[in-house]
Amino acid sequence: MMSLHLVVPDGIDDPARASGGNVYDGRLRDGLTGLGWEVVEHAVSGPWPWPDAAATAALSAALDAVPDGALVLVDGLVASASPAVLVPAARRLALGVLVHLPLGVDVPAARAAEREVLLAARTVVATSAWTREWLRHHYVLATVHAAPPGVDRAPVAAGSGTGGALLGVGRASRAKGYDVLAAALEMLDDLPWSCTWVGRVDEVDPVTAGRGRIDLAGPLAPGLLAERYDAADLLVLPSRGETYGMVVTEALARGVPVLASDVGGVREALGQTSDGQLPGLLVAPGDPRALAAGLRLWLTDADFRATLRVSALDRRTDLAGWDTTVARVLEALPTPTPTLRGARP
């Protein structure tokens, strides 16, 4: 039986702490287990990505417990700011790093440490082609493997029948552009619409939270979230940055078109139909007027809505599942060895 030690932030299965990275880590673990792998999960607590002394010690202890030469895959959220722990560990372990969001994207000061970690690893797996190219360009890495998230097939959404049911999914934060959406919707008071936002709301100030008549549903269990997707006509993703955007493919899996910011890997997740059309609309990030214009077009033009629905249904047919993601990660994993240079005596 093949064995993998998977080092992840604690709480990846906690619905209240749902994130794309947590879902990815859990689906990878479950997919490998389903293929007969022994997956030893090491959940490390700490203020990631910037660990304190206690978190660094916990990470070091977790890796010290792994036998020499063993195959290890560490979530970049845990690894990338900890070269003092990861670089020595890489000398005795078949170490890979799974990068969801490079720390250096938002914090250039972190790039030196992150690059040191990734250069020491025997393999680097990025969760989107956009992330792979970013790492190659900024860190001059010879090889980075891309394993984008999969998506589960789902029934075609019923929608509202009017086009006015809007849905946002993710943490209600500035990074996800919640404030941009609230401001955009204020410009559409002359039109009929409803908007639900599913996700944590702890980063939303009371003033912003009260704007735009948005229903803040908070985190929802998978079954309840599926009900919100089924009722939606359009997914809105106004993020200021995304390495992929798993909610995009979750919507498309139900034939729901997407209106999103044209940032990072969102265009990759959105993809194209068989005849080269976008199953949604992309607008400039951080621009409420641009988002409002896109929403107004959707809400007022029935032919436009019908075209995007057809495109979303077309794109739905060729979305990759999580089995493809797991297979791509497997192809990227290094071969475990009994001993490695620099292993402990």
Side-chain angles (χ1 to χ4, degrees), residues 57-153:
L59 174 59
S60 181
L63 291 174
D64 283 346
V66 177
D68 289 351
L71 179 58
V72 182
L73 186 63
V74 186
D75 187 307
L77 186 66
V78 173
S80 294
S82 302
V85 176
L86 270 295
V87 173
R91 300 190 187 107
R92 66 176 192 84
L93 302 171
L95 180 70
V97 178
L98 177 66
V99 182
H100 301 285
L101 169 65
L103 299 186
V105 169
D106 295 323
V107 187
R111 293 181 183 179
E114 186 166 49
R115 182 171 186 268
E116 187 177 359
V117 168
L118 298 182
L119 285 173
R122 290 182 59 187
T123 194
V124 177
V125 182
T127 59
S128 69
W130 181 89
T131 301
R132 177 188 61 196
E133 295 310 311
W134 193 97
L135 293 173
R136 283 177 173 175
H137 175 73
H138 290 277
Y139 296 155
V140 198
L141 301 178
T143 303
V144 180
H145 304 271
V151 67
D152 294 322
R153 288 293 178 91

Side-chain angles (χ1 to χ4, degrees), residues 241-309:
E242 290 281 352
T243 56
Y244 188 74
M246 289 168 56
V247 297
V248 171
T249 52
E250 289 175 2
L252 293 174
R254 297 164 168 83
V256 176
V258 177
L259 171 56
S261 301
D262 192 3
V263 292
V266 169
R267 188 178 288 268
E268 174 187 351
L270 190 61
Q272 294 183 344
T273 65
S274 56
D275 60 355
Q277 302 301 308
L278 290 179
L281 181 64
L282 295 172
V283 299
D287 187 341
R289 292 189 178 279
L291 183 61
L295 288 169
R296 183 172 292 277
L297 176 61
W298 167 266
L299 292 168
T300 60
D301 191 329
D303 290 340
F304 180 70
R305 292 197 299 271
T307 297
L308 289 194
R309 285 196 190 101

